[in-house]
């Protein structure tokens, strides 16, 4: 049986994930088990992936998008419903 023993990044002292998929899975697990929403980002020091409490996308929202292009794709009659 495989057991994932987390290594920690020396620079930020966070658990290192080998790839993004692995980090995303851990974030997903955290959300379901603890209700803690986490985001993944790539560490510039160690090159692996870490989890963070802050949404990195927030930073991008301040950047004005001059032209946000949305593809005009219409799926005929299909609307996914969420309640
Ligand atoms: Zn790191």
């Amino acid at each position: 049986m495989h057991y994932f023993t987390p290594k920690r990044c020396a620079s930020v002292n966070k658990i290192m994930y080998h790839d993004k998929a692995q980090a995303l899975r851990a974030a997903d697990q955290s959300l379901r088990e603890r209700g803690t929403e986490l985001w993944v980002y790539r560490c510039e020091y160690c090159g692996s992936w870490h989890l963070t409490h802050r949404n990195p996308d927030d930073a991008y929202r301040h950047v004005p998008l001059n032209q946000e292009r949305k593809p005009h794709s219409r799926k005929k009659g299909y609307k996914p419903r969420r309640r």
Side-chain angles (χ1 to χ4, degrees), residues 54-72:
R54 279 188 306 167
N55 185 353
D57 286 342
D58 276 350
Y60 295 113
R61 283 191 199 132
H62 297 291
V63 180
L65 293 170
N66 291 337
Q67 285 174 344
E68 193 181 354
R69 293 189 187 186
K70 288 189 177 178
H72 288 276

Side-chain angles (χ1 to χ4, degrees), residues 9-31:
C9 175
S11 299
V12 291
N13 197 32
K14 288 184 176 182
I15 295 172
M16 296 164 74
Y17 294 96
H18 186 64
D19 54 37
K20 191 178 184 179
Q22 205 170 54
L24 282 171
R25 217 170 299 149
D28 186 56
Q29 195 178 24
S30 155
L31 180 63

Side-chain angles (χ1 to χ4, degrees), residues 9-12 14 16 41 43-48 50:
C9 175
S11 299
V12 291
K14 288 184 176 182
M16 296 164 74
Y41 73 98
C43 180
E44 58 184 300
Y45 303 107
C46 66
S48 63
H50 298 317

